[in-house]
Amino acid sequence: MGKAGEQETGRAPAATRQRFNTATCLSACLLLTGGVAGWCQDARDPLLDLMIQKGMLTQDEAAKVKAEADAMRTNSFNEALPPVQSKWKISKAVKDVELFGDVRVRFEQRQAFTPPGERIELDRARLALRLGLRGDLFDNFYFGFRLETSSNPRSSWITLGGSSPAPFGKSADGVNVGQAYLGWRPADWVDITAGKMPNPLYTTPMVWDPDLNPEGLAERFKYTVGNADFFANFGQFLYQDNNPSYISGSLLDSVAGTRGETGVPPTFLLAWQAGVNYRFSESVSAKVAGTLYQYLGLVTNAVTATYSGGIGNSFIGEGSYGGKGSGAPINGLTTQNGISYNQIGLNNLLVVDVPLEVNFKISKKLSARVFGDFAYNLNGSQRAQDAVDALSAQSQLQLAPFPPPLVRYGAQTGDVKAYQIGFSIGNGDTPGLVNGTVAKKNTWEFRTYWQHVEQYALDPNLLDSDFFEGRGNLQGINAGVAYAFTDNVIGAFRYGYAMRINKNLGTGGSNADIPQINPIDHYNIFQLDMTLKF
């Protein structure tokens, strides 16, 4: 019987049977080796290519074998590893959520000098952690909260080795709520926030310490016309809770002996701001805003020989020095022999503030910014007069043999303004690396500014606690350079020097770092930071 007869009987040629057996064995081999190789093969398999070259398989047979092996591996993988469900469950009201924050380490040196030349110096290794969540909810709502080390509202830093008992104590390593807020964007041009929030205002460290997170309500509006983005920001910030809001009759002395009023409201800081961000071209833009700050609900407390009241009483800003032969003979101490004066009062503060900046490209790789700020206290002259009157009254309660120096000098009614002018340059698209607000690998920035803050110009409780020690009546220079080692890790060096402006005045303000010296004649600060952002 011929070949035709063999085919008619259904028996396949030997070559065909060999290719079939080879393909079957090859499928098993591919399936087994797929497990070893991580259930994955390249688009072309070297073993199949070799068999095609030897004539053991045709191109079509090789493709069929590969498809069958892939299907078998997929089925085996699905059976071996069932779907993994996340153990984290997020409310269905949350559209998205983001983990954010930073870890910062620092070496810092501060020096504050008295008028005679004596000094206090701090050399500290410091650490700060800020960790939070923020995200969007449905129906245009959003939220955020952040935990921080340190309870100081103007700083999240803690000092290593500063806890007790030593060594390696934890008493200073607290966890505090730095931010907790809810917001709503009913339209793309309006944003309303309530709670303890990131600062909603366009401002500078001259007026607001960057670590402060105001509490209360804020409304932000924006509208674009051509190349101009107009914006308006309003804040109703709860500065201090003065409860009990009402005390009647004989309960006043027993419940709040230093308070002079029966019914009191909370203290509010109100802010009104309007401005524009104008794009002259793709490489040049300018931003400017006008802001008015007003304080409502100031509560006065009874003043004694050793107590000059709280934020509702008259700001004095002087150190305790009363002159040689007085009960406070050391020139430069904030407090001595029980004598101290008000450093935190908010009386007669109606401040107009104008921050501004111009951003431009120097070249394809270099970006620069010229920035500044100018502030003027419209009630500053009265604030200066009240300081002298309050100082005189308290010194009389002390039965001082002669009045403190400022009473003899008289009110310094011209010290009512503040200004800042600076420049930054770097190879990043947006300045901010020195302050740690942006980070991109291999970018650098140099930033410097001159700042001048007179005694009665600004709220002493909002001033930057680093530059310059949260005090008024100081002027000086700040400079810093930063480099981004990665998109998340920034190294920065900063230096600041300040000197007293008016030698007839103290350096008013209250800060937890070097509170012992007033007046500060001159001041140095050096900081070396490493920051991890996430």
Side-chain angles (χ1 to χ4, degrees), residues 371 423-427 433-434 444-448 478-482:
F371 59 91
F423 173 76
S424 71
I425 184 172
N427 66 344
L433 193 62
V434 170
W444 59 267
E445 182 188 16
F446 171 76
R447 184 176 188 267
T448 186
N478 168 272
V481 61

Side-chain angles (χ1 to χ4, degrees), residues 145-148 175-180 196:
F145 70 86
R146 188 175 74 186
L147 302 178
E148 303 177 0
V175 177
N176 302 273
V177 178
Q179 296 176 2
K196 189 174 182 66

Side-chain angles (χ1 to χ4, degrees), residues 334 463 468-474 507-510 514-515 517-518 520:
T334 303
L463 298 178
F468 300 102
E469 191 58 25
R471 306 295 189 93
N473 194 31
L474 286 175
T507 49
S510 177
I514 309 180
I517 293 183
N518 187 344
I520 295 175

Side-chain angles (χ1 to χ4, degrees), residues 39-50:
W39 306 95
C40 180
Q41 292 290 339
D42 294 334
R44 295 189 60 84
D45 190 291
L47 183 57
L48 288 176
D49 290 343
L50 179 61

Side-chain angles (χ1 to χ4, degrees), residues 352-514:
V352 175
D353 178 41
V354 183
L356 57 92
E357 65 186 60
V358 177
N359 301 288
F360 55 96
K361 285 278 191 181
I362 296 178
S363 66
K364 290 183 178 180
K365 295 184 178 180
L366 292 180
S367 299
R369 172 181 291 174
V370 175
F371 59 91
D373 200 351
F374 179 81
Y376 188 90
N377 182 9
L378 300 176
N379 293 340
S381 60
Q382 186 59 52
R383 184 172 170 85
Q385 184 61 57
D386 285 354
V388 172
D389 295 343
L391 179 62
S392 176
Q394 191 171 349
S395 67
Q396 291 177 17
L397 292 173
Q398 297 162 357
L399 302 178
F402 46 86
L406 180 60
V407 176
R408 301 195 298 271
Y409 299 146
Q412 310 291 295
T413 57
D415 287 35
V416 297
K417 65 183 180 297
Y419 58 84
Q420 180 190 95
I421 182 68
F423 173 76
S424 71
I425 184 172
N427 66 344
D429 295 330
T430 305
L433 193 62
V434 170
N435 296 329
T437 56
V438 298
K440 186 177 180 180
K441 186 176 181 179
N442 295 331
T443 57
W444 59 267
E445 182 188 16
F446 171 76
R447 184 176 188 267
T448 186
Y449 64 83
W450 173 268
Q451 182 170 291
H452 174 104
V453 178
E454 295 173 355
Q455 181 83 313
Y456 308 111
L458 298 172
D459 181 346
N461 308 309
L462 303 185
L463 298 178
D464 189 346
S465 62
D466 291 335
F467 307 101
F468 300 102
E469 191 58 25
R471 306 295 189 93
N473 194 31
L474 286 175
Q475 65 179 359
I477 190 169
N478 168 272
V481 61
Y483 179 78
F485 297 97
T486 71
D487 288 345
N488 305 92
V489 178
I490 306 169
F493 163 79
R494 304 180 191 86
Y495 173 74
Y497 174 81
M499 69 194 90
R500 189 159 53 140
I501 300 170
N502 187 337
K503 302 299 183 181
N504 293 337
L505 292 170
T507 49
S510 177
N511 183 39
D513 292 293
I514 309 180

Side-chain angles (χ1 to χ4, degrees), residues 95-261:
K95 291 175 60 178
D96 57 72
V97 64
E98 175 190 15
L99 178 70
F100 74 102
D102 52 42
V103 179
R104 297 173 288 170
V105 293
R106 166 181 291 177
F107 172 75
E108 177 184 88
Q109 181 185 83
R110 297 185 187 220
Q111 298 174 330
F113 293 79
T114 68
E118 298 172 324
R119 82 173 190 267
I120 291 179
E121 179 176 317
L122 304 178
D123 297 295
R124 301 182 290 185
R126 313 205 76 191
L127 172 70
L129 168 64
R130 298 184 293 189
L131 179 64
L133 291 175
R134 59 192 173 199
D136 293 315
L137 307 172
F138 285 95
D139 298 320
N140 301 314
F141 286 89
Y142 62 91
F143 71 96
F145 70 86
R146 188 175 74 186
L147 302 178
E148 303 177 0
T149 47
S150 178
S151 59
N152 185 344
R154 286 191 278 181
S155 175
S156 56
W157 293 93
I158 58 174
T159 300
L160 299 180
S163 298
S164 60
F168 319 128
K170 300 179 182 179
S171 63
D173 304 343
V175 177
N176 302 273
V177 178
Q179 296 176 2
Y181 58 89
L182 290 174
W184 184 41
R185 301 185 186 97
D188 59 2
W189 53 271
V190 60
D191 190 328
I192 302 171
T193 311
K196 189 174 182 66
M197 67 193 77
N199 198 327
L201 303 171
Y202 170 52
T203 185
T204 71
M206 184 185 81
V207 179
W208 284 86
D209 188 300
D211 289 316
L212 283 170
N213 298 292
E215 303 171 359
L217 290 171
E219 304 84 32
R220 288 174 290 175
F221 304 88
K222 62 180 181 180
Y223 189 75
T224 300
V225 179
N227 292 333
D229 296 327
F230 294 94
F231 62 90
N233 302 317
F234 305 99
Q236 304 84 47
F237 304 134
L238 184 56
Y239 201 99
Q240 179 172 282
D241 178 1
N242 295 320
N243 277 300
S245 59
Y246 185 83
I247 307 174
S248 63
S250 60
L251 296 176
L252 181 61
D253 291 337
S254 300
V255 176
T258 62
R259 199 167 93 178
E261 304 172 57

